[in-house]
Amino acid sequence: MTTLKEKLFEKIQEWRPRTEKLVKEHGDFKIGEVTIAQAIGGMRGVKCLTTDISYLDPNEGIRFRGHTIPDVLAKLPKVKNGDMPAVEGFFYLLLTGDFPTQEEIKEVSDEFNKRQHVPMYVFDVLRAMPRDTHPMTMFSAAVLAMQRESVFIKKYHGGMSKMDYWDPTYEDALNLLAKLPQIAAYIYRMKYRADTIIPPDTSLDMGGNFAHMMGIPKPYDDVARLYFILHSDHESGNVSAHTGHLIASALSDIYYSISGLLDGLAGPLHGLANEEVLRWIQGVMDHMGGKIPTEEEMKKFVWDTLKSGQVVPGYGHAVLRKTDPRYMAQREFCLKHLPDDPIFKYVDMLYKVVPPILEEQGKAKNPWPNVDAQSGVIQWYYGLREYEFYTVLFGIGRALGVCANIIWDRALGYPIERPKSLTTAMLEDLVKQKK
Ligand code: NMX
Ligand code: MLT
C-alpha cells in the first residue's frame, strides 16, 4: 500500500463512527425545511448533501478541506522550478485533509505516472468521431469507453464487502485521473494542431506533463496547475459534482460517473460558461474592430445582451454572493503575467461595468463574477485560442474533486440517492390545506 492509501484508510476508519453516530443517534434532527419555491426552483439552498472535501460559504467562497484558496496555494509545497503547487499534492490534501510533504507528493506523482498509459482503443474511438465534434463530447466519450477497465466492477462481480468498496474505487480513480491530461491533450492536438500528437514525459508532474503534451512553454505548466486546483471542487451541489455523486450512488463505477459529470459540466450555465465568456468578448471585439471599448460602449453591450434575453456569461452564482475567490486568484495571475493583454483589459472593464448593471436590472441574486469570467483570458494569452476547449480544462480539475468525493462516499457507505417528487396538484392541495 502507498502512504496515501494507508493514510486514507486510517482516516476512513476514524471517520466512519462519526457518520454512523450522526445517523443512528441523531437521524431525525432537522437541518432545514423545504419550500415550494425550492421544490420547483432547482432545489436551491436545500441542505440535503454531505461532503467533507470542500465547503462553499456564500460570502467567503470555497474552502478545500477547511482551507481557503490563498492558504492552499501558500501552504502546499511548490513544484521545483515553478510558482504553483503540484496537483498531485493537492489531490493528497483533498483525500486526506492533510498537507503532504514533498516525499508524499512524489509518491502520488509516481503512482500517476505508473498508471498514465492510455489504451489504444480510446484514441481509436476519438479518431472515429467527426473532427468537428465538441471536445467535451470527445472527452466524455473517451472516459466512458474506458469503463471496461473498471477494477470496482470486476471486484463487485467477484463478491465484495460494502466496507471494501472504497478500495477498488480508489484504484479506478487513480487509474482514470492519471490518464485525463493525456486524453485531453490528444483531443486538442488532434483537433486543432494538425494531428501532431506529443507523447507524455513521465518525468514531469501532472501540470508540467500536461503543458508539455499541449506543446505550450512555461509558465503554462503553472497555469495548468492553478487551473486544475481551482476548478477541482465546489462542494457537492453543483451540477457536475452532484451528477458524479448521483451516478456513483447507484454503484456505477468511476468511469460512468466522470463521463456523466463532464456531460453536466458541458452546459452553458455551468462549466461551458468559460467558452461563452470568450465567445461573447470576441463578439464585442469584432463589433469594435479590435479597439478597446469605452466604459459607455461596454455598458451598452451588456444591456443589449440582457435585453435580447441572454445571460451575461461568467456572472452570477447559485450560492456565492460575492466575487468568486477563484476569479480573484486568476485575476492576480493576470495582473502579474499579462496586465497589458487587450482581452484582460476587456475582462477587467467588465468587472467594473457588469455588477452595477445586473443590480439595476434586479434579477440576478449575485451580480459578481464567477470563476469562468476570468479563466479564458489566461488560456487565450498562452495561445490556446480554441475556446470550445476551455471546459475540458475545467473537467480535468473537477474530476479530481469528484473522484475524492466518490471514494469517500463509498468509504462512508452513502446509499443510493433517491429524493421524493410531488405533483403540482399535491403542492396546490398542501397550500389549500394550510389556508
Ligand atoms: N446574466 C443575466 N441574468 C442573470 C445572470 C446573468 N449573469 N445570472 C442570473 N440571472 C438571472 C437568471 O437567469 C434568473 O432569471 P429568471 O428569473 O428570468 O429565470 C434570475 O437572474 C435569478 O437567477 P439567480 O437566482 O440569481 O441565479 P441561479 O441560481 O438561478 O443561476 C447561474 C445561477 C450561474 C446559472 C446564473 O447566474 C447564470 O446564468 N449566470 C451566467 C452563466 C454562468 O456564468 N454560469 C457559470 C456558473 C459557474 N460555473 O462554472 O458553473
Ligand atoms: C462550480 O464550480 O461548480 C460552479 O461555480 C457552480 C456551482 O458551484 O454552483
Side-chain angles (χ1 to χ4, degrees), residues 3 8 50 90 94 116-117 121 126 145 170 190 196 200 202 216 235 252 282 307 313 338 340 364:
T3 315
L8 177 60
T50 310
F90 178 68
L94 289 185
Q116 56 82 41
H117 175 75
Y121 65 80
L126 293 173
Y170 170 96
M190 178 182 74
T196 51
T202 51
I216 310 181
E235 66 172 39
S252 298
Q282 286 299 316
K307 282 178 191 155
L338 46 132
D340 300 322

Side-chain angles (χ1 to χ4, degrees), residues 246-303:
L246 174 67
I247 295 175
S249 83
L251 293 187
S252 298
D253 58 57
I254 283 278
Y255 297 88
Y256 282 123
S257 298
I258 302 301
S259 176
L261 93 73
L262 292 170
D263 300 340
L265 194 66
L269 295 187
H270 192 17
L272 203 85
N274 58 11
E275 168 182 331
E276 294 293 308
V277 168
L278 254 284
R279 178 175 288 118
W280 189 78
I281 290 178
Q282 286 299 316
V284 178
M285 279 173 76
D286 287 351
H287 195 84
M288 294 302 298
K291 154 179 126 32
I292 305 283
T294 61
E295 267 187 45
E296 282 316 303
E297 285 166 332
M298 198 60 130
K299 281 182 191 165
K300 184 174 175 321
F301 282 117
V302 175
W303 274 116

Side-chain angles (χ1 to χ4, degrees), residues 328 330-340 344 348:
M328 292 313 281
Q330 294 181 95
R331 187 170 188 275
E332 269 171 39
F333 186 94
C334 291
L335 287 170
K336 182 166 171 204
H337 293 275
L338 46 132
D340 300 322
F344 176 58
D348 219 29

